[in-house]
Amino acid sequence: MAARRSIGIVVNGVTGRMGYRQHLVRSLLAIREQGGVPLAGGGHIWPEPILVGRDPDKLAAIAAQHGLTEWTTDLDAALARPDVEIYFDAQVTAQREKAIRQAISAGKHVYTEKPLAESSVASLELAELAEAAGVRNGVVQDKLFLPGLRKLKRLIDGGFFGRILSVRGEFGYWVFEGDWQVAQRPSWNYRLADGGGIVMDMFPHWNYVLEELFGNVRAVQTTTATHITKRVDERGEEYVADADDAAYAIFELEGGIVAQLNSSWTVRVNRDELVEFQVDGTEGSAVAGLRGCRIQHRATTPKPVWNPDLPLTGKSFRDQWTEVPDNEEFDNGFKVQWEAFLRHVVAGETFHWDFRSGARGVRLAEAGLQSAREGRRIEL
Ligand SMILES: NC(=O)c1ccc[n+]([C@@H]2O[C@H](COP(=O)([O-])OP(=O)(O)OC[C@H]3O[C@@H](n4cnc5c(N)ncnc54)[C@H](O)[C@@H]3O)[C@@H](O)[C@H]2O)c1
C-alpha cells in the first residue's frame, strides 16, 4: 500500500464561521474522506488537525462530533509538538499577527485566512520573518477557485474578450441589524476597534482577483460609508457600528483596465448571485458570478436604440446572453487551495499565494481607506 504522510496542523479559530465550516469540515475533513491528498510520486498526505481555541467545551464538542481527539486551549503547547508542522489561523483578524509570530518562531509553516494582518507594515514584517525562518507561508484566496471566476479565467486565457476595457463588480447583500432578525455575520465586523470594516474585509479579495485575472492595481479611489450605525450583537445588546459597511471604489490597473467594484453589507440583492463581475472587451463581454458565467460576443450584440417613448419588445437584454458550460467538476475552493498548500509543504510544489501577495491585499485595503479619508486618488 502507498505510504501515508501524516502532517499535524494546528487549526486556530476552529469554532468560528470560517474555521469550522470551510476549513475544518469542507477542507481538512473532506480531504480525509477522499483518502488524503495524492502525491505525484505515490502515497498521500494525511492531515491531522489539532483544534485550538479559547473555549474548551466548544472544542471538545467539535472534536467529539467529528471523531477527533486532539484539541487544546494552549497555543504554545500545540506549537511545541514535534508532529505539528503547519499553523493555520482563522481567528478574528485582530488576533492573527501575534499568533503567526509565535508560530514562525516555533518554526512552523503558516497558512492563514485573509487579511494577513491589520496593517501592511505588519504584513510585510510577517512575510520577511517567514522567509528568514525558511517556513512556507500562504494566505487564503478562495475566490480564485469559484466556478464563475474559473470560467472567466478560461475566457481570458482563450482570448475571448479581445482587449479588455473595464470590469464592474457588485458584491454584497443586506446584513441584518440584529434587532428583529439575528445578524448573519459576527458583530466584530462592524466595530473598527475589533478589526472590522468592509474595506479590510473585501479589498484583500479584490486585490488577488484583479491581479490574477486582469493586472496589478496601480491606483485606487474609494468612497466609504457607515450607513447603519447601530446594530445588535450576539448577546442581544445594542452597539455602535462605527466600521465602514459599504465601499464604492475605482481601481486603475496596469495595462489600462478600469475596475469599478462596489462592496456593501447594506444592499438588497437584485442580481443572480451575491457577487457578479461584468467584463467588457472589444470582442465580447461576460458576467461572472460565484458559479455561473454568461457571455455575449461582438457578433451577437444587439443594437439598442435609445427611445424612452417606445416599450421594449422581443427578448429582454438579459436573455440575449449565453451560459458558459462547466466542462469540468469544480471542487470547494478552500479545499483546492488547502491541497495546493499541503503539496507545497510536503512535496515542494510551487504556491504563489504567499504572505507577500497577502501583504499586497492589505496594502490595497489601506490605500482604499486612505483614499476615502483624504478624498483623493491613491497611487500604489
Ligand atoms: N475567505 C473568506 O471568504 C472569509 C470570509 C469571512 C471571514 N474571513 C476571515 O476569517 C476570519 C474569521 O472570520 P469569521 O467570520 O469566521 O469570524 P468568527 O467570529 O465566526 O470566528 C472568529 C474566531 O476567532 C476566535 N477568536 C479568538 N480570539 C478572539 C477574540 N479576542 N474575540 C473574538 N473571537 C476570537 C473565535 O473564538 C472564533 O473561533 C477573519 O479574519 C475574516 O477576515 C474570510
Side-chain angles (χ1 to χ4, degrees):
M1 210 180 96
R4 170 188 278 195
R5 165 72 163 82
S6 292
I7 184 160
I9 305 172
V10 163
V11 186
N12 196 6
V14 71
T15 61
R17 248 175 12 127
M18 300 309 295
Y20 178 69
R21 183 87 212 129
Q22 294 302 338
H23 294 287
L24 182 68
V25 176
R26 302 274 283 135
S27 297
L28 297 173
L29 296 180
I31 286 171
R32 286 159 63 113
E33 269 158 38
Q34 77 185 16
V37 179
L39 285 165
H44 56 264
I45 308 168
W46 187 257
E48 289 286 1
I50 290 104
L51 313 184
V52 175
R54 298 169 301 164
D55 184 334
D57 295 339
K58 284 189 193 166
L59 293 170
I62 292 176
Q65 191 185 340
H66 296 286
L68 299 170
T69 52
E70 303 299 303
W71 62 266
T72 176
T73 56
D74 185 344
L75 177 60
D76 279 324
L79 289 175
R81 289 172 57 150
D83 60 333
V84 165
E85 294 175 58
I86 295 175
Y87 171 75
F88 172 69
D89 193 298
Q91 296 185 97
V92 288
T93 308
Q95 299 298 319
R96 180 160 302 137
E97 181 189 340
K98 183 170 157 257
I100 290 182
R101 282 178 187 276
Q102 260 172 279
I104 294 173
S105 55
K108 308 299 178 185
H109 306 294
V110 182
Y111 186 48
T112 178
E113 258 299 348
K114 44 52 64 178
L116 173 56
E118 289 186 288
S119 73
S120 60
V121 171
S123 304
L124 270 179
E125 259 177 46
L126 291 180
E128 281 159 11
L129 273 178
E131 285 160 14
V135 299
R136 306 248 150 114
N137 51 91
V139 180
V140 173
Q141 303 197 347
D142 53 290
K143 306 293 178 269
L144 295 175
F145 305 91
L146 290 168
L149 292 205
R150 294 278 302 276
K151 291 177 198 170
L152 192 53
K153 177 83 166 80
R154 201 198 286 155
L155 292 171
I156 294 169
D157 292 347
F160 170 76
F161 293 104
R163 183 164 58 87
I164 295 178
L165 311 173
S166 63
V167 181
R168 54 204 78 203
E170 281 287 340
F171 162 85
Y173 47 93
W174 192 267
V175 175
F176 281 93
E177 297 87 333
D179 47 359
W180 62 288
Q181 294 194 55
V182 175
Q184 68 272 44
R185 288 178 60 83
S187 61
W188 64 266
N189 284 284
Y190 304 91
R191 288 187 297 264
L192 281 179
D194 293 335
I198 200 162
V199 171
M200 230 351 132
D201 192 55
M202 293 313 297
F203 280 32
H205 288 298
W206 301 153
N207 188 69
Y208 66 72
V209 167
L210 293 172
E211 242 181 49
E212 295 234 356
L213 295 179
F214 306 108
N216 287 9
V217 182
R218 252 184 0 205
V220 59
Q221 183 150 2
T222 309
T223 297
T224 59
T226 306
H227 290 301
I228 304 290
T229 53
K230 266 188 216 154
R231 291 181 175 270
V232 174
D233 69 14
E234 291 78 3
R235 292 161 309 171
E237 282 169 27
E238 191 175 279
Y239 65 97
V240 175
D242 59 354
D244 42 295
D245 56 14
Y248 310 90
I250 300 173
F251 304 91
E252 294 164 41
L253 311 185
E254 263 164 24
I257 299 174
V258 179
Q260 222 181 322
L261 304 180
N262 291 328
S263 316
S264 178
W265 289 317
T266 52
V267 66
R268 296 188 174 86
V269 181
N270 181 6
R271 293 171 236 127
D272 290 337
E273 309 213 46
L274 296 190
V275 65
E276 279 184 351
F277 301 93
Q278 172 161 344
V279 181
D280 287 295
T282 52
E283 297 296 312
S285 298
V287 176
L290 297 170
R291 306 199 67 84
C293 184
R294 283 167 286 139
I295 51 172
Q296 187 166 80
H297 189 258
R298 180 172 189 253
T300 60
T301 303
K303 188 187 250 181
V305 178
W306 179 259
N307 186 351
D309 296 331
L310 289 179
L312 286 171
T313 54
K315 258 187 171 182
S316 77
F317 289 120
R318 249 170 189 267
D319 290 341
Q320 300 179 55
W321 293 65
T322 312
E323 198 66 41
V324 175
D326 283 356
N327 287 1
E328 60 184 298
E329 269 186 39
F330 297 103
D331 205 347
N332 177 290
F334 291 91
K335 173 165 161 270
V336 173
Q337 206 186 346
W338 259 109
E339 291 174 337
F341 187 72
L342 289 172
R343 286 195 303 263
H344 177 53
V345 167
V346 172
E349 286 187 22
T350 55
F351 184 94
H352 65 271
W353 306 295
D354 58 6
F355 278 9
R356 294 225 170 240
S357 81
R360 288 195 296 280
V362 176
R363 168 81 186 94
L364 183 64
E366 274 180 358
L369 289 169
Q370 185 190 352
S371 161
R373 214 168 40 240
E374 299 177 5
R376 65 186 182 93
R377 171 178 170 276
I378 303 292
E379 285 190 10
L380 292 154

